[in-house]
Amino acid sequence: MSREQDEPKVMDEEMLQQAIVEQGLQGQSGQKTLAEPEGVYQLRLDFRNLSFNNIEVIEGLDSLVKLQDLSLFNNRISVIENLDALQNLNILSIGNNSIAQLDNVLYLKQFKNLRTLNLAGNPICDEEDFKTFVTAKLPDLVYLDYRRQE
């Protein structure tokens, strides 16, 4: 693995644009571009090009207001933040990162449409009351870490 692949990264327009092109996402004009972010409903920024993205900070998603499904699996994220504009978020996969504080779950309370959350593989999952805490704070979740909530 090269040193460049190991270095932490921050989401920027270039990374988002590349993901949109690779995933074949298109705006209303039919172009694969961030120029029409209102047409993007799903975005994966996880395992790409046989390497990890090494994202440490979530940012740059403000224009994707209709985004419903976001995967940030297998990165270096330690804080869930900067997702305020994604009020249509239904699925968030942020497993295998570095999230260790239960306060991150409180941030997710604002997403009224969130039904599926994957935090598996984060240090937060080792907390004794993890599952109880998450289900108490996010009662509308249907799936937590690949399991249906009763």
Side-chain angles (χ1 to χ4, degrees), residues 69-108:
D69 184 346
L70 177 61
S71 179
L72 294 166
F73 197 83
N74 271 331
N75 282 289
R76 296 180 181 180
I77 298 166
S78 60
V79 177
I80 302 174
E81 62 185 351
N82 301 323
L83 298 174
D84 297 355
L86 309 181
Q87 290 302 308
N88 291 318
L89 199 60
N90 186 270
I91 300 169
L92 177 60
S93 178
I94 195 161
N96 285 1
N97 276 280
S98 301
I99 299 166
Q101 302 295 320
L102 285 173
D103 289 352
N104 284 283
V105 173
L106 298 176
Y107 175 79
L108 296 174

Side-chain angles (χ1 to χ4, degrees), residues 39-95:
V40 177
Y41 294 93
Q42 178 179 349
L43 187 60
R44 294 189 59 183
L45 294 170
D46 50 359
F47 192 74
R48 294 177 39 234
N49 297 326
L50 302 177
S51 65
F52 299 106
N53 286 318
N54 297 318
I55 296 169
E56 287 189 329
V57 177
I58 302 171
E59 62 182 18
L61 300 174
D62 292 343
S63 61
L64 302 175
V65 296
K66 290 191 178 179
L67 195 67
Q68 296 174 1
D69 184 346
L70 177 61
S71 179
L72 294 166
F73 197 83
N74 271 331
N75 282 289
R76 296 180 181 180
I77 298 166
S78 60
V79 177
I80 302 174
E81 62 185 351
N82 301 323
L83 298 174
D84 297 355
L86 309 181
Q87 290 302 308
N88 291 318
L89 199 60
N90 186 270
I91 300 169
L92 177 60
S93 178
I94 195 161

Side-chain angles (χ1 to χ4, degrees), residues 78-148:
S78 60
V79 177
I80 302 174
E81 62 185 351
N82 301 323
L83 298 174
D84 297 355
L86 309 181
Q87 290 302 308
N88 291 318
L89 199 60
N90 186 270
I91 300 169
L92 177 60
S93 178
I94 195 161
N96 285 1
N97 276 280
S98 301
I99 299 166
Q101 302 295 320
L102 285 173
D103 289 352
N104 284 283
V105 173
L106 298 176
Y107 175 79
L108 296 174
K109 287 177 66 172
Q110 68 180 301
F111 301 102
K112 304 301 181 199
N113 296 319
L114 189 63
R115 298 296 178 264
T116 301
L117 176 62
N118 175 25
L119 290 165
N122 282 288
I124 193 176
C125 298
D126 297 333
E127 295 284 331
E128 188 176 324
D129 328 352
F130 165 71
K131 185 176 178 181
T132 304
F133 184 84
V134 173
T135 54
K137 299 301 179 185
L138 303 172
D140 293 329
L141 276 184
V142 177
Y143 295 96
L144 173 61
D145 298 341
Y146 308 110
R147 295 185 184 258
R148 186 167 176 83

